[in-house]
Amino acid sequence: MTLHYATQNSATHAFKDRLDALCEGIPQLQLLTYYEHPLPQDKVDVDFQRRGRVSACAFSDKDITSRARFYLCGPGPMMQGVTEALLSRGVPRFDIFKEEFRSPIGPLTGVNRSFNVHFARSKCQATWTPSDGSLLAFGETLGISMPSGCRVGQCESCVLGVIEGHVSHLTPMLGAEDDKCFACQAVPSSNLVLDI
Ligand code: FES
C-alpha cells in the first residue's frame, strides 16, 4: 500500500502524527508526502518527499502491470486528471475508485415551500420546510433511526425507497432512480411517502 498524500506545506499538513503512527504500525504501508509550496523551513526527506502535486506519473509501471487498485480522494479536477492518465496507461476503469471532497449541505435558502413527509414503517408524519435540510437530517430530528455513512453523497448507505412522491438531490447523484433517494442529499419536491 502506498499513500500519496499531497498538501501545500507543513502549515496545511493534516493528520501528520496519525499518518506517521500508521506507518509505524503497518509495515506494508508506504507514505509519500508531496508539498506544492514548501515553506523555507520545510525539509525534503524530513517533512516531505516530493515537490508538486500527485499525478499519474507518480505510479510505477509495476503498479500498473501488477493490477494495483487506485483509490483517489480529493478535488474533482485532480481526480479527473489522474483518472484519465491512468486509463491511458491501461488501467481498467473498474480498478479506479474515487471519493470527491465535498461539504455537508447547509441550510437551504431561497426556497419557500413545505411538504408533508410520511415515514411509513416508522409511522411518523411531519411537515418538512427548507430549514429542516436533507431528509436524513429531518428524519433524525424526528427520532427516526436512519441509515447513513459519509453524509456527503458518496457511500450510498443512506439510500431509501420512495413509495410516493418525488425528491430532488442537492448534488448530482449517479444511479439515482425514481423510486429511491439518497437521504443525505435529498429534499422533497412534493409530498412524500418513504419506505422507512
Ligand atoms: S450517507 Fe453516504 S451517501 Fe448518504
Side-chain angles (χ1 to χ4, degrees), residues 2 13 15 19 25 31 34 40 46 64 66 71 76 83 95-96 99 104 112 116 120 122 143-144 156-157 164-165 184:
T2 305
H13 194 149
F15 300 114
L19 290 171
L31 173 62
Y34 297 62
V46 176
I64 310 289
S66 64
Y71 294 83
T83 299
D95 279 349
I96 305 171
E99 187 169 320
N112 186 20
N116 184 53
S122 306
I144 296 168
E156 304 187 2
S157 62
E164 279 178 38
C184 74

Side-chain angles (χ1 to χ4, degrees), residues 1-195:
M1 265 183 300
T2 305
L3 172 61
H4 296 260
Y5 170 77
T7 186
Q8 292 292 306
N9 49 50
S10 57
T12 57
H13 194 149
F15 300 114
K16 182 175 188 319
D17 292 344
R18 177 72 178 135
L19 290 171
D20 288 344
L22 285 171
C23 283
E24 292 259 308
I26 305 174
Q28 303 92 330
L29 175 62
Q30 183 191 13
L31 173 62
L32 290 175
T33 302
Y34 297 62
Y35 282 178
E36 188 172 7
H37 301 294
L39 299 173
Q41 66 269 30
D42 293 341
K43 293 192 174 38
V44 174
D45 291 333
V46 176
D47 301 296
F48 67 106
Q49 284 75 43
R50 296 184 179 177
R51 188 184 286 260
R53 300 181 176 188
V54 178
S55 73
C57 304
F59 311 119
S60 68
D61 288 340
K62 184 162 168 282
D63 292 330
I64 310 289
T65 54
S66 64
R67 284 287 309 277
R69 309 293 195 271
F70 296 87
Y71 294 83
L72 312 180
C73 181
M78 178 280 278
M79 293 199 297
Q80 189 177 345
V82 173
T83 299
E84 284 169 8
L86 287 173
L87 292 173
S88 74
R89 291 177 67 185
V91 176
R93 192 175 287 277
F94 50 76
D95 279 349
I96 305 171
F97 303 83
K98 290 186 273 191
E99 187 169 320
E100 188 172 347
F101 284 169
R102 212 182 261 177
S103 304
I105 55 175
L108 305 177
T109 55
V111 187
N112 186 20
R113 285 181 295 182
S114 63
F115 296 109
N116 184 53
V117 180
H118 181 189
F119 297 85
R121 282 187 283 125
S122 306
K123 300 189 180 6
C124 176
Q125 290 197 50
T127 301
W128 175 93
T129 63
S131 63
D132 293 310
S134 68
L135 288 170
L136 175 63
F138 184 46
E140 287 180 335
T141 59
L142 296 170
I144 296 168
S145 176
M146 308 275 288
S148 70
C150 67
R151 294 175 175 260
V152 291
Q154 300 282 357
C155 70
E156 304 187 2
S157 62
C158 61
V159 68
L160 291 183
V162 178
I163 299 170
E164 279 178 38
H166 301 283
V167 302
S168 302
H169 287 102
L170 299 171
T171 52
M173 296 296 300
L174 286 177
E177 300 165 24
D178 286 349
D179 61 348
K180 302 237 177 339
C181 72
F182 297 93
C184 74
Q185 300 298 306
V187 295
S189 49
S190 73
N191 292 334
L192 275 183
V193 181
L194 296 173
D195 185 19

